[in-house]
Amino acid sequence: MNEAEIQRQKEIKEAEELLFTGPQALGFAKGLFLGRFVSDWAMPYPRIPAAQQAELDQSLAEIRRFLDTELDSTAIDRNADIPRSVIDGLARHGVLGMTAPREFGGRGFSQRAYCKVLEEIGARCASTSVFTNAHHSIGIRALLLFGTREQKQRWLPPLVTGQQLAAFALTEEQAGSDAANVQTTATPSADGSHFILNGEKRYITNASIAHVLTVMARTPVPGSDKTAITAFLVTPDMPGFQMLEPRMEKLGIKGTATGRFAMCDMAVPKENILGPMGKGLKVALTVLDFGRTTFGACCTGAARTCLRLAVEHANKRRQFKKTLGEFDLVKKKIARMAADLYAMEAMTAVTASLIDRGLEDYMVETAMLKVFTTERLWEAVNDAFQIHGGSAYFTDLPLERMLRDARINQIGEGSNEVLTSFIALVGMRGPGMEFKEIYDTMFNPARGLGKAWTAGMNRLGAAVRVPNVPVKSEALRGQASQLGRLIWRFNLSVNRALIKYREPVMDMQLIQERIAGVAMEMFASACVLSRLDSDLKGISQNGASAPANRKAAQLFLRQSFHRIRRFLTELTENDDAELLATANSVLGKPERPVSNGS
Ligand SMILES: Cc1cc2nc3c(=O)[nH]c(=O)nc-3n(C[C@H](O)[C@H](O)[C@H](O)COP(=O)(O)OP(=O)(O)OC[C@H]3O[C@@H](n4cnc5c(N)ncnc54)[C@H](O)[C@@H]3O)c2cc1C
């Protein structure tokens, strides 16, 4: 094995340990890759229990009133600051500790209910929704999930009531997308009572206004020369903490305080370690699962605003003696926005409910939600902007701000490219392991033919069976069976890709993009079918479903199925070889033989 191969095997082993240890109930997304429709996780459409719904409705009404009267998103953007009165108001309404247990002063809301609140904030002001996310979804999340009882008792009460604010600090110069490459060190003191932190973090939301920061740093692995990442609770009053840039100037979400800070020989008591020593990356990835879910909710809220603004303008503005809404090219944009919005709402609800219902592993679904909603919001902002023409360019309308604000979504909490690859690779691991078993057994008959036979039959079984997508409404049977057939086709395509490329598929991002694209569309379609089924059966919690909503849902399914078919076709008919050769040439890289997947 050469050095690159040794490094690669090491990375695979680390990823396996990180992502695939512990209980592994088959979730919805992983099921899709195996040709299964694990309906329990998506159907029936998740409902909030009546008692919780009443409390949520009341909270939502109060929060809406507060946001409508006291949140001035234009001023927040102009002044590049969220006023203390807004933070206090959010705290007063319980938003800053909404999902924290009541015993620590939180509201004990489910993720699903919290997402409803974040949709409202996201619909009005991205700075405020990102601030809230940084504090509650990721800032205090490691403490909520991994803190000991003593740690929670000590740290949580002021944080969940908003007296204190939190931040989550992972990113560094050398650790952006490559989150595992954290360079900040945490060296144990001689007596073991504390750790000395040295390093610098950048691009950290709330860093300069936070009282408590969850900081990722590298600790030695006892008995070896290796290091591993560990999560620490840090306070800015610790000697050695140095705020280098409290508010880095930036394009959008200007109200948030994005900071850069250093830690120079900063002593942190060992009691401040969050979660197991050396398991900080697992802590970080789990925290980000929550961040990505509420990210989805914030984008969904913002997309709702885009649609509202677009409809209002299209019905009002006249050109060529017609309203803009009478032109088909404007209608096309409005219909697509409505269709996507229906899907974003459904996907957010289903993903949040996976967490609430105790699915242990939802990392693929949360990644899908993040990529899907951030991409669709970007299109929605762009479409609403285009419908407004020149007027969108000026600061008296919110669209130029919304455009600037939306751009971070495709980059933050895992760039969409990294997550797309992640979705494909984690999803393909299931069928990949079954194939590996067949290969391994073939080359090592001593392990028994029985195993190979079972694995082979599982593969074949999945290949011949079209999964059932159990809708209740007669009117949806056609779409449900189309989705079932597409899942079956998807599984065949994944298997083919695995057989054809074997391990090198791990580097073939153009193939991965299509595989992840199909999986994302299928997850979105399943959520839409589930929601529409419940709407048609009159059991929706949003009141009777408006005809426009139903049409939007039906349109989404049609368009999503088209996209799935296109992705599947392009797995084998594509210009990948030419594309990669062109890119290599432009980048000045040596010519390399490339496989085009055909
Ligand atoms: C406003 C703002 C707020 C933030 N808040 C926080 C916070 O609160 N806490 C925190 O820890 N971090 C925060 N971040 C950091 C954010 O998470 C990182 O910016 C993000 O993870 C990307 O890292 P990077 O900027 O170093 O980009 P890089 O890692 O340099 O990546 C640049 C681009 O390269 C491409 N790319 C990278 N890797 C791959 C790959 N494997 N395959 C294909 N393409 C790839 C992607 O297109 C990516 O966008 C924030 C960033 C911003 C801008």
Side-chain angles (χ1 to χ4, degrees), residues 376 486 489 514 517-518 521 558-574:
R376 298 307 160 97
L486 287 171
R489 245 185 93 184
R514 296 182 188 105
V518 175
E521 290 289 348
R558 278 185 77 88
Q559 295 195 327
S560 180
F561 293 168
H562 285 316
R563 287 190 290 266
I564 292 172
R565 290 194 187 95
R566 205 162 42 238
F567 278 132
L568 290 173
T569 304
E570 287 175 1
L571 274 173
T572 49
E573 293 168 30
N574 56 55

Side-chain angles (χ1 to χ4, degrees), residues 224-245:
S224 83
D225 57 356
K226 292 185 184 151
T227 55
I229 297 172
T230 298
F232 289 87
L233 281 168
V234 161
T235 56
D237 58 0
M238 289 175 168
F241 186 98
Q242 204 185 341
M243 187 52 63
L244 302 174
E245 262 187 281

Side-chain angles (χ1 to χ4, degrees), residues 572-583:
T572 49
E573 293 168 30
N574 56 55
D575 306 323
D576 292 1
E578 294 76 11
L579 183 150
L580 294 174
T582 306

